[in-house]
Amino acid sequence: MSRSATIATTESRFSHRLETLQELARDVLAHAGKQGASACEVDVSDGFGQSVTVRCAEIETIEYNRDKSLAVTVYLGQRKGHASTSDFSPNALRETVDAALNIARFTAADPCAGLPDAELLAVDTRHLPDLDIYHPWLLSVEAAVDLARRCEQAAFAVSPKISNSEGATLSIQEGQFVSANSLGFMGGYPTSRHYLACSVIAGKDQNMQRDDWYSTARDPLAIGSPESIGEHAARRALSRLGARKIKTCRVPVLFEAPLASSLIGNFVHAASGGSLYRKTSFLVDSLGKRVFSKRVQISERPHLQRGLASSYFDSDGVLTHDREVLVDGRLQGYFLSAYSARKLGMQTTGNAGGCHNLIVHPGKRDLQGLLKKMRRGLLVTELLGHGVNYVTGDYSRGAAGFWVDKGEIAHPVEGITIAGNLRDMFRNVAAVGNDVLVRGSKQVGSILIEQMRVAGD
C-alpha cells in the first residue's frame, strides 16, 4: 500500500542523541563507583509514539507520548538496591544513585545477586548481522487518520451486516536505549514497532458478534494494507454470527495461529528460571526430557533481521545466541537470567527479560489441511480468562470458535470451556501448521491437540 515512510536520522526523531544517553550512563556508573558501590548497572531510554483511532469514520482519539527513563541498580557486595527517574539533570541522576545505595544498605545479602560473568557480556557485537529493527514512520496525523478510515471503511464495505465498529487504530512507536554496567559493557540502539488494527461488530439485537484483526511490524512497509486488515476483521465477525453451544465432549482441539502463540507462551513461562527455582512449574527437572510431542521443534533466533524480539543482548547485557530449545520434543534448555541461573546452579541462557524470536518449526499443512486431519473437533479462535495453574499444569479457559465435522467448518461455537493439562497437551500435539503468524516473540502456526475436554451443554 502507498505510505509516506521517508528516512530520518535518530537525532531528528528523539529528544536526545544516542551519544547523550551513553554519556548519562557513564556518569551514573562513575558516581556509583565514587559512592562505594561494588558494582552497578544502568538502563537509559528515550522514546515517543503517536496513535490515532477512528470510529464510524469520525476521529475518536489522537494521542502522543514522549517518554524517557533512567534506572540504576547498585550492589554493595551481595546487597542490591534499585531506583529510577525521568529527570536527566545531573543533580537528579546523583540523587537516584544515592537512593539506590540507601536501599542496598538496608537490604539483606543475596548470595545469587550481582552482575553476570564478564566473559558472557556482549562487549563486541561488530561480528553480528545488522538487526535492521529501526524503521521510522514519518506520517502526518492527517495521513494516519486516512489509513485508519480506509481500514474501517473496508470492513463496512464487506457486508451490510457489519452494523457497528469499535474503531480502527494506527500506532507508531519508536524508541532508543542504552544499557551499561561497571564491568565495561555498554550497548544500545534505536528500535521501532508499528501496527494497524480494526475491530467491528456484525449483526443486530440479540445476534451480535465482534472480532478484530491487526498487523504489526518493525517496518511500516511490512504492515498489511488497510483494506486487507479491515476486510479480514469483518469476515471474522460475520463468520461468528449464529454461534451456539455444543454438548460436552472430548475431542481434538485446534488452536488457530494467533492463539497458538499463547500455548508457547505457557511453555516459556513454565521453563523460565523464576518459575523453576521457586518450584512453581510443572517442568521442574525436565531438562533433557521429552516434554512435547516428537513432532515439535523449537529454535531461538535472537539475530533475525526485523524480528519483533531480536536483540544482541538480554536485559543483563549477556550476549544472545542461536540455540535449539526443543529437539524432537526434548527440552534442550531453559530460559535463564544471570540471577535465576545462579539460583539453579546453572549458566545464564541470555534470556533475562524474555525469549528472543522463538520459532516453532512449521509442518506441511495449512489451516485447511489441519481441519481435514482433525476431521471432527473444535477450532478455537478466541480464549477467555486465565485459568492456568503452572504448578500442576492444569489448563481451563473459556473459548469460542467453530465446530468442525468431516474436516469442514460446520457452525460457530460460543459459551464453552476447554480443559486439559499442559503436560498432556504438549505431549499430544498432533500437528503444527505452516500458517505462521508473526506478531511478537513467538512465531508459530496453528497447533492441533489430539484431545481435550470441551464443556458445553
Side-chain angles (χ1 to χ4, degrees):
M1 83 188 184
S2 175
R3 281 165 285 190
S4 170
T6 56
I7 301 300
T9 63
T10 56
E11 287 83 356
S12 66
R13 300 291 282 171
F14 300 110
S15 301
H16 303 274
R17 299 172 70 245
L18 192 64
E19 292 78 8
T20 302
L21 303 188
Q22 293 171 341
E23 191 59 37
L24 291 171
R26 290 190 191 96
D27 291 345
V28 166
L29 293 174
H31 183 66
K34 290 177 182 177
Q35 296 303 111
S38 57
C40 178
E41 55 191 347
V42 58
D43 295 288
V44 195
S45 63
D46 172 26
F48 69 92
Q50 168 188 308
S51 66
V52 300
T53 297
V54 168
R55 184 171 181 271
C56 297
E58 298 295 325
I59 298 173
E60 188 164 73
T61 60
I62 298 174
E63 298 179 358
Y64 295 95
N65 65 277
R66 279 201 173 271
D67 307 291
K68 60 179 183 177
S69 174
L70 184 145
V72 58
T73 300
V74 298
Y75 298 91
L76 295 173
Q78 291 180 312
R79 291 177 294 162
K80 173 182 173 182
H82 178 84
S84 63
T85 182
S86 59
D87 185 347
F88 285 1
S89 68
N91 189 54
L93 299 187
R94 288 191 294 270
E95 290 178 349
T96 303
V97 172
D98 294 343
L101 285 165
N102 285 332
I103 292 170
R105 291 186 182 102
F106 293 97
T107 301
D110 184 339
C112 295
L115 300 180
D117 295 339
E119 63 270 18
L120 300 176
L121 296 171
V123 292
D124 185 3
T125 59
R126 290 174 296 180
H127 62 289
L128 297 176
D130 180 9
L131 298 181
D132 194 24
I133 55 176
Y134 178 56
H135 293 267
W137 197 357
L138 289 105
L139 202 63
S140 67
V141 172
E142 293 77 13
V145 168
D146 178 64
L147 289 175
R149 277 192 176 129
R150 283 168 54 191
C151 186
E152 187 186 55
Q153 287 167 0
F156 278 116
V158 169
S159 168
K161 291 183 180 179
I162 300 298
S163 56
N164 207 340
S165 169
E166 292 186 340
T169 299
L170 185 143
S171 175
I172 296 170
Q173 297 293 326
E174 299 175 26
Q176 62 179 351
F177 75 98
V178 167
S179 293
N181 67 34
S182 53
L183 294 177
F185 163 74
M186 181 174 289
Y189 37 81
T191 67
S192 62
R193 184 163 180 173
H194 316 293
Y195 74 84
L196 179 59
C198 184
S199 177
V200 293
I201 297 169
K204 61 180 180 179
D205 300 330
Q206 300 303 309
N207 183 24
M208 299 175 72
Q209 295 287 345
R210 66 158 296 282
D211 214 322
D212 59 60
W213 196 249
Y214 73 93
S215 178
T216 183
R218 299 284 194 182
D219 182 354
L221 296 177
I223 293 175
S225 72
E227 288 77 16
S228 66
I229 293 168
E231 288 171 9
H232 200 58
R235 296 192 189 284
R236 288 177 69 87
L238 289 166
S239 69
R240 296 178 62 162
L241 289 174
R244 59 184 187 269
K245 281 189 175 183
I246 55 175
K247 291 186 180 299
T248 297
C249 55
R250 294 187 69 88
V251 292
V253 172
L254 176 58
F255 288 80
E256 187 188 28
L259 303 183
S261 63
S262 73
L263 284 181
I264 304 304
N266 296 145
F267 159 67
V268 172
H269 181 96
S272 291
S275 299
L276 295 168
Y277 75 73
R278 295 185 184 97
K279 298 190 181 301
T280 56
S281 168
F282 65 94
L283 290 181
V284 168
D285 297 326
S286 292
L287 204 60
K289 298 179 182 178
R290 179 166 286 122
V291 297
F292 267 83
S293 158
K294 292 181 180 180
R295 298 177 176 87
V296 182
Q297 325 283 333
I298 301 181
S299 303
E300 187 171 30
R301 299 289 182 261
H303 305 145
L304 286 183
Q305 283 201 328
R306 303 188 185 186
L308 291 174
S310 292
S311 181
Y312 292 131
F313 47 85
D314 71 357
S315 298
D316 289 332
V318 171
L319 183 69
T320 54
H321 58 277
D322 290 352
R323 64 179 183 133
E324 306 310 310
V325 177
L326 279 180
V327 175
D328 298 333
R330 290 188 181 277
L331 183 59
Q332 306 299 305
Y334 294 133
F335 300 90
L336 306 178
S337 65
Y339 180 81
S340 63
R342 290 189 187 118
K343 294 285 283 187
L344 293 166
M346 304 175 74
Q347 181 169 293
T348 175
T349 58
N351 289 109
C355 59
H356 308 285
N357 299 322
L358 279 193
I359 299 175
V360 182
H361 296 207
K364 297 180 179 179
R365 295 178 176 88
D366 59 9
L367 182 60
Q368 289 302 315
L370 292 175
L371 292 175
K372 294 186 183 303
K373 178 178 175 63
M374 180 168 65
R375 294 285 299 164
R376 178 177 179 272
L378 180 70
L379 166 63
V380 177
T381 60
E382 183 179 19
L383 290 170
L384 306 168
H386 302 280
V388 181
N389 184 327
Y390 287 101
V391 177
T392 62
D394 288 341
Y395 182 97
S396 178
R397 300 188 66 180
F402 299 89
W403 182 250
V404 177
D405 192 25
K406 297 179 182 178
E408 301 289 339
I409 290 177
H411 61 80
V413 175
E414 66 178 3
I416 58 171
T417 300
I418 58 173
N421 185 281
L422 287 172
R423 194 190 304 271
D424 299 327
M425 291 163 62
F426 292 163
R427 289 174 179 169
N428 294 323
V429 172
V432 178
N434 61 15
D435 54 333
V436 178
L437 185 66
V438 182
R439 284 181 169 177
S441 61
K442 305 160 193 71
Q443 303 184 16
V444 57
S446 299
I447 292 180
L448 175 60
I449 307 295
E450 288 181 2
Q451 194 174 82
M452 294 182 69
R453 185 174 187 272
V454 180
D457 288 330

